[in-house]
Amino acid sequence: MRLQDFFPYDTIILGLLQVYHGVGTNSFFINQPCIMVKDRIVTTGQTYFLFSYFGNQVSASSIVKLIDTFYFDDHVYLLLADLLTDEVLLRNQPLNTGDSKCQWKLFDVNTLRDILFAKDELKYPERSIHYNDDLLEFDYK
């Protein structure tokens, strides 16, 4: 049983607004800037990176597993397990507000890797294999 079953909400309205809805039995679509995962779909049991912010600085980072998520009272809640400390974390974010300031951000491995590679290419363009539009050529025999 999912935690969402204990907190009823208007699935039709939130789904039509593309804010929050369940995807199958183990995944959730959460359209928020704090959720930095592919297609904005988080899946229970998957591993993510959690970064907490204080002001504009990263104050903490964790490798977490998503236990569950639910929507209640215009907030989305994520129940997470820190894989290094075995601590259970509960993070929430208000929905339907104009404030896009995030106290935390959740990344999947691929999105975080893509962001880091893109920043690296901007900082060190000479390291890019596509520098000056030259592509590496491979001879396959």
Side-chain angles (χ1 to χ4, degrees):
M1 178 175 268
R2 302 184 314 184
L3 282 175
Q4 187 63 71
D5 296 335
F6 296 107
F7 302 98
Y9 70 101
D10 193 341
T11 57
I12 295 172
I13 297 297
L14 289 177
L16 289 174
L17 293 175
Q18 291 292 304
V19 175
Y20 174 90
H21 61 84
V23 179
T25 58
N26 297 327
S27 298
F28 300 87
F29 172 80
I30 306 172
N31 191 8
Q32 285 296 294
C34 303
I35 307 294
M36 305 287 294
V37 300
K38 185 178 187 239
D39 299 327
R40 304 263 189 222
I41 296 174
V42 294
T43 303
T44 58
Q46 293 295 318
T47 302
Y48 298 96
F49 293 99
L50 177 69
F51 294 94
S52 300
Y53 295 91
F54 184 75
N56 288 333
Q57 299 289 330
V58 174
S59 61
S61 62
S62 305
I63 300 171
V64 297
K65 184 175 283 196
L66 180 66
I67 298 171
D68 208 347
T69 183
F70 62 95
Y71 174 86
F72 179 70
D73 198 25
D74 284 335
H75 283 73
V76 65
Y77 293 84
L78 279 74
L79 186 62
L80 307 158
D82 188 315
L83 296 178
L84 298 177
T85 64
D86 290 330
E87 184 179 5
V88 175
L89 309 168
L90 183 64
R91 296 291 183 261
N92 69 331
Q93 177 67 25
L95 297 180
N96 301 324
T97 63
D99 184 22
S100 62
K101 188 76 170 166
C102 296
Q103 299 291 329
W104 53 268
K105 287 190 179 182
L106 189 74
F107 293 86
D108 65 347
V109 174
N110 293 329
T111 302
L112 184 59
R113 184 194 66 220
D114 292 346
I115 290 170
L116 292 175
F117 283 157
K119 283 188 175 188
D120 190 49
E121 284 185 9
L122 289 173
K123 192 172 183 179
Y124 305 105
E126 66 277 2
R127 291 185 186 173
S128 172
I129 63 169
H130 302 291
Y131 187 66
N132 290 334
D133 293 329
D134 292 334
L135 297 176
L136 294 176
E137 295 184 22
F138 295 99
D139 292 328
Y140 295 104
K141 296 181 183 189

